Amino acid sequence: CIFGRGREDELMQQLLADKREREKRVVAQMIQLYCSKQHHNGATLCKECSCLLSYANERIEHCPFIKEKTFCSNCRVHCYQPQMREQIRQVMRYAGPRMLLHHPVLAVRHLVESRREKNRQEGKR
């Protein structure tokens, strides 16, 4: 092993932190897109969407499964409260397809990582 155990742990923690930040960025872009088109607020989020983003970021930051999954939408354990889960699903249903036009790099990365995760989960069965 080239790295010592402490260095490996540091590297793993950095990879997980990067993964959390990518997920937060995608969710924020989706909520922004949804809010600007559904609530006509332009560049700022309405109160409801701002609360949803804060809630989603909190869930992402404390997710115990971040190592095994790509995005919350792929997780089998849903830690969102039912009402918040429905709100985030509405956002994803609306913004998901539109991400290709508004944020193509994030959208393609999300699709690739989601497909990779799904294939990995199917391989475990």
Side-chain angles (χ1 to χ4, degrees):
C1 181
I2 296 173
F3 299 111
R5 183 70 179 147
R7 180 68 180 135
E8 286 180 24
D9 289 343
E10 276 182 47
L11 184 59
M12 180 56 75
Q13 291 304 315
Q14 185 58 49
L15 290 172
L16 292 176
D18 291 348
K19 192 175 187 180
R20 288 180 199 279
E21 289 308 310
R22 279 193 315 270
E23 186 164 346
K24 287 178 184 180
R25 191 169 45 243
V26 169
V27 169
Q29 292 294 329
M30 292 178 94
I31 291 173
Q32 178 64 46
L33 181 61
Y34 176 83
C35 189
S36 68
K37 300 299 180 187
Q38 297 295 316
H39 303 146
H40 310 288
N41 287 334
T44 60
L45 294 178
C46 69
K47 184 178 179 181
E48 180 183 340
C49 289
S50 183
C51 289
L52 181 61
L53 178 58
S54 293
Y55 183 81
N57 283 340
E58 181 70 22
R59 302 310 322 157
I60 293 165
E61 191 60 39
H62 295 97
C63 177
F65 305 105
I66 196 73
K67 188 175 179 180
E68 294 90 27
K69 69 178 181 72
T70 52
F71 292 94
C72 286
S73 58
N74 293 341
C75 189
R76 294 185 184 278
V77 177
H78 294 285
C79 57
Y80 283 70
Q81 295 171 354
Q83 179 186 8
M84 300 302 266
R85 186 179 320 143
E86 185 52 39
Q87 287 179 10
I88 202 75
R89 282 183 180 156
Q90 286 177 3
V91 166
M92 290 181 178
R93 276 192 295 266
Y94 177 84
R98 290 162 179 84
M99 288 288 286
L100 282 170
L101 298 173
H102 294 274
H103 304 286
V105 173
L106 287 176
V108 169
R109 182 182 298 144
H110 178 73
L111 290 171
V112 168
E113 289 180 1
S114 294
R115 175 46 77 190
R116 187 179 301 144
E117 176 69 16
K118 187 175 181 178
N119 290 341
R120 190 176 65 117
Q121 286 178 356
E122 288 173 357
K124 287 182 177 180
R125 292 181 190 166

